[in-house]
Amino acid sequence: MSWVLAAFLLAEVPGVPTVAEALDRLETLEVAEERNASTYDRVLFPHWSTVAGTCNTRETVLRRDGVGVVTDEACRAVSGTWHSPYDGAIWTMAADVDIDHMVPLKEAWRSGAWAWTTEKRRRFANDLDGPQLWAVTDNVNQAKGDKDPSDWKPPLRDFQCVYAKSWIAVKHAYTLTLQAEEKTALLDMLLTC
C-alpha cells in the first residue's frame, strides 16, 4: 500500500455510525413522500461559511480530506493530494475536487428542510461535525446531483457501505424523511458492509 493511500485511510470524516447504529437510526426515520420540490432554491442554504480567519467550509474540508495540503494566504489549497471515496480517483489539483453534501441540499429541502429556519439550513450546508461533507471527484459529484440512493450510488462498490451509513446519519441528525425506495436502496447498500 502506498504512503498516500495509507494516509487517506487515517483521515476519516466524523460521525459515520456503525452498521448496527445505522440500522437502528434507519428504523426511526419517517417514510413519506417528498414535498415542495418546486420551491427549492440553493440560496436558501447559505454555504461555505467562514470557519476561522479566511478559511471557509470548503477549504476546511479540502484540508481535512487531503494529504499534504498547502494553502495560500487566502486559505485556498494550492497543492495537495485528494482521494475521492466515491470513485477511488486520486487528484492533485483542488479544482478537480468538489465538496459534496452527502444529503444534497435539494434532497434535504424535499425531505423537510423547507420548514427549517435559514440558520438551520446554514448549519446543515456547513456541517463539519457529521458525515455531511466529502471531498470527491467533481464530475462524479455532478453526476450525483440531487439524487437519493434509489437513483444514484457511488461507482466504487467498496464505498457503498460507508455511503449508506453516512446518508442515514445525516437524515437522522436532521430528522429528515425518506421515501420507501430510498430506504430499500439504503438497506441494499448496507448489505455490502
Side-chain angles (χ1 to χ4, degrees):
M1 178 182 306
S2 74
W3 73 268
V4 172
L5 186 54
F8 285 127
L9 296 175
L10 297 175
E12 291 189 29
V13 172
V16 177
T18 65
V19 174
E21 291 167 337
L23 285 167
D24 287 344
R25 292 174 189 176
L26 183 59
E27 288 310 308
T28 69
L29 293 175
E30 178 186 354
V31 176
E33 290 302 312
E34 294 178 338
R35 299 172 53 193
N36 298 310
S38 65
T39 60
Y40 169 77
D41 189 326
R42 191 171 174 87
V43 300
L44 296 168
F45 289 83
H47 54 288
W48 307 157
S49 298
T50 300
V51 174
T54 60
C55 298
N56 67 26
T57 309
R58 173 185 161 72
E59 294 147 349
T60 300
V61 175
L62 284 171
R63 283 196 335 249
R64 179 196 73 194
D65 292 0
V67 172
V69 178
V70 175
T71 58
D72 64 15
E73 63 283 344
C75 201
R76 290 182 300 257
V78 294
S79 65
T81 306
W82 294 270
H83 170 256
S84 171
Y86 289 4
D87 61 346
I90 302 232
W91 301 101
T92 57
M93 291 180 45
D96 292 323
V97 179
D98 278 356
I99 305 306
D100 180 47
H101 290 94
M102 172 61 62
V103 174
L105 304 180
K106 188 172 185 180
E107 167 66 20
W109 181 265
R110 298 183 302 233
S111 302
W114 55 269
W116 295 351
T117 64
T118 300
E119 184 50 36
K120 186 169 182 179
R121 288 192 295 269
R122 178 190 318 277
R123 281 195 314 271
F124 179 82
N126 296 280
D127 186 350
L128 293 167
D129 296 323
Q132 170 64 338
L133 300 172
W134 297 76
V136 301
T137 302
D138 55 2
N139 64 334
V140 174
N141 183 43
Q142 291 154 20
K144 174 188 172 188
D146 65 351
K147 298 176 182 87
D148 72 37
S150 66
D151 293 320
W152 189 89
K153 294 174 181 57
L156 188 62
R157 184 168 166 78
D158 288 349
F159 188 69
Q160 290 182 9
C161 171
V162 174
Y163 188 84
K165 293 187 302 181
S166 300
W167 184 281
I168 293 164
V170 173
K171 285 253 175 156
H172 182 266
Y174 287 92
T175 319
L176 293 167
T177 62
L178 74 166
Q179 296 175 282
E181 302 84 5
E182 180 183 347
K183 185 174 183 176
T184 299
L186 288 164
L187 287 167
D188 288 347
M189 282 196 280
L190 289 175
L191 292 175
T192 69
C193 296

